[in-house]
Amino acid sequence: MATSSAADIVKAVGGAGNIESLTHCATRLRFQLRDASGVDTKTVEAIPGVMGAVPQAGERFQVVIGGGVQNVYNDIMALPEMAGGGAAASDPDDIDAIKARERAKGVRGKVAWIDSLFEFLSDSFRPILGALLGASFFITFMALMATLDVIPDWNAPGVTLDPSWAFINLMWQSVFVFLPLMVAYNATKKVGADPWVGFAIMAVLMLPGFTALAQDVEPTALFGIEAAQVAIVPVFGIPMPIANYSSQVFPPLLMAAVLGPLYKLLRKIITANLQLIFVPFFAMLIMMPLTAFVIGPIGVYVGAVLAQALAAINSFSPFIFAIVIPLAYPFMVPLGLHWPINAIMLLNIQTLGYDFIQGPMGAWNFACFGATAGVLILSLRHRDTQMRQTATGALAAGLLGGISEPSLYGIHLRFKRIYPRMLVGCFVGGLTIGIGSLLMGLENGVTTQAFVFTSLLTIPAFQPTGLYAIAIGLAFFTSMFLVLWSNFRTPEQQAEFEAARDAAEAAAAAEHVAPAVVEASEPRAIDASDAAPAAAAVPVATAVLEKASIEVLSPLAGKVVPLSEVPDPVFAGGVMGPGAAIEPVGDTVFSPGAGVIAAAQPTGHAFGIVLDGGVELLIHVGIDTVNLKGEGFDVKVKNGDRVELGTPLVTFDRAVIQKAGYPLITPVIVLNADDFGEVSPVLEGDIAVSGSLITVDQKE
């Protein structure tokens, strides 16, 4: 993404002065804004390189970039206006101040609290996605070698590998064995405490000497939960449960949740010049025993209970489980609820030696990627450059990395037609796994012996591989074909897109084929006598293009109102561009000047015109009138026609439109406003055909 796009993002979120802090995760820029109420999501999404935008509670705003998010973050932070403010917040006191302001506003209520919880879970995992993804490829490689009988069953108990293969096996274990330390660091940082203190607290429970305390004690099931195995050892006369904390994530999450408020309290009661020494000391003094005696065992127990509950459901009916999981994930991922499930997957592998959730989850992922593939094909067919770029990046991230966020946030949540079709793909994939499990007598369904990202590269990690491959293939192609069959845009959205696209293409062609540019130094008049005979009875004004501005004339008579009064958020929010709206009194739309018809919709509801002078206009007759499918409209022109001031474009039947319940208000939009200076309506109130409607200033 160019630096100009980075500047556009900053401008779209209200400028550097509106940015409290900026961080990023694997795919998204994460803004903490002073005031997010004025940020228009559609404007942000229109910026080249942006896959999507996600408003959140607590004045948080996320911009989906994809794999290049680090470069975009660097470009933003390098902007001159970001030098003094809007820098990434690293001071915990700054975070506390932000939260205090949000509590004082009192406008988000429980929604903000829930959103903060999901943020905590997500931010504890997102920074380590790269390490997890890299480790999953090592696991897949080992699984493939075992499938090809190059090595023995590498993950089975008691199997000894050759030192060369054993070393490769250690490459992925380094990530998962020490995963609690990584989670502890991230979670502690999220709550505003020193992340290295959180790391050190969790590290005590993972020391070889700590586990050695229980070497002569037989482990028992904690509160009767078999997955929660602990050895009880007396320490200072107090029974301390000792567990294997490798790959555990609930203990560090709970530890960080307690450490955050404790750190804040210690800062308040310890004088500022002693905080550097004594805040970490007292935090460790309190939290290390508390985590070892209480928090750690509770985390092990909580994770084991959740894992056992899911295992019971899967044991009762792998068929039902295989269908429910892929249908639930499309709603869990946007909320961040999938992160705790990932923790259960890790616990399953540690306690059971396999996981039964990731297989059905793969049906959701590939249904998601299939919908993205459908969008990509349609974007090629529709000559939609921006969506093509978004879908290409999202599909690559999905098929090669198993990451669904670019698809989800960049495309699917923006177009409501996609989700129902994607859910069908999820159902087909889950149903295939369920039926296959019944026919093959699989007690646990499709399983894997390690935590992997469900991508094309990790298919060999699942057993049985053939059933899994068929299921995700059906999920992928079902979603893809359904999106291709029905489109991802509504008819209204598609018509608006095509009008804007055709106008832009015609403008580009006009620059090379038939340039008719008004020289800024030579004022030019458009004479009403040049108008078509059909408009002879219409009072046509004479417009003089001044040296520094272009005048856009009214295509019909009526009352001029601001765009904000248009009952459509796309126009009212200025997403398509600036302009004005007219409540018409007549029944004919005339050309507002000399130019070329770039888009004449056969339904008659929208026209794109490139005026001499380069202004690209969209005239949209009524709201949602595309649904009439041309009924009540008599189109007078076609694409590529040369028109003059006053040439009739369409005649519409007011009674037909009003009977259907559609507003007649007609937006007139300048689509390429970025190529000019200020664009402003001349007046509000009554206007005649070819009256002065909008002034477009030339750029200096």
Side-chain angles (χ1 to χ4, degrees):
M1 179 182 289
T3 303
S4 59
S5 295
D8 289 341
I9 292 175
V10 172
K11 180 180 178 182
V13 298
N18 193 38
I19 300 174
E20 286 276 8
S21 64
L22 171 62
T23 57
H24 71 87
C25 58
T27 59
R28 284 176 276 177
L29 298 170
R30 306 165 69 81
F31 289 92
Q32 177 69 52
L33 303 176
R34 291 186 171 90
D35 181 10
S37 62
V39 180
D40 184 78
T41 301
K42 297 293 185 181
T43 300
V44 178
E45 292 176 341
I47 298 173
V50 172
M51 292 183 171
V54 187
Q56 294 191 304
E59 309 298 349
R60 289 186 286 265
F61 194 87
Q62 298 183 4
V63 179
V64 184
I65 301 298
V69 66
Q70 176 70 59
N71 295 332
V72 179
Y73 172 83
N74 292 339
D75 289 342
I76 290 177
M77 299 310 296
L79 295 173
E81 59 264 36
M82 296 292 290
S90 57
D91 185 353
D93 291 329
D94 289 342
I95 296 175
D96 292 337
I98 292 169
K99 292 180 179 178
R101 281 192 292 273
E102 296 311 320
R103 286 193 295 269
K105 292 177 182 178
V107 296
R108 299 289 183 173
K110 294 182 179 179
V111 174
W113 180 85
I114 294 174
D115 199 43
S116 296
L117 174 62
F118 294 153
E119 283 280 312
F120 171 68
L121 293 172
S122 298
D123 287 353
S124 298
F125 286 94
R126 282 197 179 100
I128 57 178
L129 278 178
L132 291 172
L133 181 59
S136 72
F137 287 151
F138 285 116
I139 294 170
T140 303
F141 176 71
M142 294 294 290
L144 180 61
M145 292 299 99
T147 301
L148 298 176
D149 291 329
V150 176
I151 59 175
D153 191 359
W154 57 282
N155 212 23
V159 172
T160 301
L161 295 174
D162 175 87
S164 301
W165 290 104
F167 176 71
I168 296 176
N169 207 34
L170 291 174
M171 291 181 179
W172 70 264
Q173 291 183 26
S174 65
V175 175
F176 290 102
V177 169
F178 297 108
L179 184 63
L181 300 179
M182 302 179 189
V183 173
Y185 180 95
N186 294 329
T188 305
K189 184 177 181 181
K190 180 63 180 177
V191 298
D194 186 336
W196 289 113
V197 171
F199 183 98
I201 293 169
M202 195 64 216
V204 171
L205 278 62
M206 303 192 67
L207 287 171
F210 179 81
T211 55
L213 295 175
Q215 61 183 353
D216 298 325
V217 180
E218 187 69 24
T220 60
L222 186 62
F223 299 118
I225 300 298
E226 287 298 327
Q229 293 288 322
V230 298
I232 308 298
V233 177
V235 176
F236 298 114
I238 304 173
M240 182 173 68
I242 296 179
N244 179 8
Y245 287 98
S246 297
S247 301
Q248 294 276 358
V249 297
F250 286 103
L253 289 173
L254 294 176
M255 179 275 298
V258 176
L259 178 60
L262 175 63
Y263 229 76
K264 186 187 300 183
L265 175 64
L266 291 174
R267 279 203 215 88
K268 289 181 179 179
I269 64 179
I270 297 176
T271 184
N273 59 348
L274 296 178
Q275 287 184 5
L276 179 62
I277 300 173
F278 289 105
V279 169
F281 168 70
F282 282 111
M284 295 168 71
L285 179 64
I286 296 170
M287 289 300 299
M288 283 181 173
L290 185 62
T291 303
F293 280 92
V294 181
I295 295 176
I298 289 177
V300 171
Y301 179 76
V302 169
V305 169
L306 293 173
Q308 187 164 304
L310 289 175
I313 297 172
N314 188 56
S315 298
F316 173 74
S317 177
F319 177 82
I320 295 176
F321 190 86
I323 296 175
V324 170
I325 288 294
L327 288 175
Y329 255 82
F331 304 100
M332 294 167 61
V333 174
L335 296 174
L337 290 175
H338 62 304
W339 294 111
I341 303 299
N342 289 348
I344 295 173
M345 295 174 188
L346 291 167
L347 186 61
N348 285 337
I349 293 166
Q350 182 188 44
T351 57
L352 302 176
Y354 64 88
D355 174 60
F356 50 84
I357 303 174
Q358 294 174 73
M361 186 192 73
W364 129 253
N365 261 0
F366 276 87
C368 174
F369 306 150
T372 302
V375 171
L376 175 58
I377 294 172
L378 287 174
S379 67
L380 292 169
R381 185 182 300 170
H382 298 156
R383 306 193 305 279
D384 187 347
T385 303
Q386 182 176 348
M387 184 54 67
R388 185 192 69 221
Q389 295 172 347
T390 298
T392 299
L395 189 59
L399 293 180
L400 300 180
I403 301 175
S404 61
E405 287 180 323
S407 291
L408 190 65
Y409 290 106
I411 303 172
H412 302 170
L413 291 175
R414 294 168 57 189
F415 299 96
K416 295 180 180 179
R417 293 173 67 90
I418 293 179
Y419 246 65
R421 290 143 186 85
M422 182 174 65
L423 287 173
V424 176
C426 292
F427 176 78
V428 170
L431 182 65
T432 303
I433 291 177
I435 294 175
S437 298
L438 290 176
L439 294 177
M440 300 174 69
L442 304 175
E443 294 183 0
N444 299 301
V446 173
T447 61
T448 178
Q449 293 181 316
F451 182 87
V452 295
F453 285 68
T454 49
S455 69
L456 286 176
L457 302 179
T458 60
I459 291 176
F462 292 87
Q463 298 297 327
T465 304
L467 174 59
Y468 176 74
I470 292 172
I472 62 174
L474 289 174
F476 181 92
F477 286 108
T478 298
S479 293
M480 185 184 77
F481 287 131
L482 286 176
V483 170
L484 285 174
W485 174 67
S486 63
N487 200 355
F488 61 96
R489 291 186 173 98
T490 64
E492 178 75 12
Q493 290 172 332
Q494 185 66 26
E496 291 169 0
F497 159 73
E498 290 179 357
R501 177 204 63 196
D502 293 346
E505 290 179 350
E511 293 179 2
H512 301 286
V513 179
V517 180
V518 179
E519 298 294 338
S521 59
E522 298 179 6
R524 171 188 172 189
I526 299 178
D527 195 333
S529 63
D530 293 335
V538 180
V540 180
T542 299
V544 178
L545 301 183
E546 301 294 343
K547 179 178 180 180
S549 65
I550 299 173
E551 203 170 16
V552 176
L553 307 181
S554 177
L556 37 69
K559 180 182 178 182
V560 181
V561 297
L563 279 182
S564 59
E565 296 187 13
V566 177
D568 184 293
V570 174
F571 292 116
V575 176
M576 300 294 293
I582 304 171
E583 294 179 348
V585 295
D587 61 1
T588 302
V589 178
F590 300 94
S591 175
V596 176
I597 299 296
Q601 294 298 320
T603 54
H605 78 287
F607 296 85
I609 306 176
V610 181
L611 299 178
D612 292 349
V615 175
E616 302 169 15
L617 287 184
L618 170 65
I619 303 173
H620 197 283
V621 185
I623 303 301
D624 293 334
T625 46
V626 65
N627 297 327
L628 292 173
K629 299 180 180 179
E631 181 184 359
F633 289 87
D634 182 13
V635 181
K636 308 292 186 181
V637 294
K638 62 182 183 300
N639 290 359
D641 281 359
R642 174 76 185 177
V643 294
E644 303 299 329
L645 177 64
T647 300
L649 304 181
V650 65
T651 299
F652 54 89
D653 190 326
R654 299 173 61 92
V656 170
I657 298 173
Q658 291 172 337
K659 182 179 179 181
Y662 299 126
L664 277 166
I665 189 169
T666 300
V668 180
I669 307 296
V670 178
L671 296 173
N672 61 337
D674 290 343
D675 296 338
F676 296 90
E678 184 178 358
V679 176
S680 55
V682 174
L683 53 83
E684 294 181 16
D686 295 336
I687 192 170
V689 174
S690 298
S692 181
L693 180 65
I694 301 170
T695 298
V696 181
D697 293 342
Q698 297 280 8
K699 276 189 176 180
E700 294 183 1

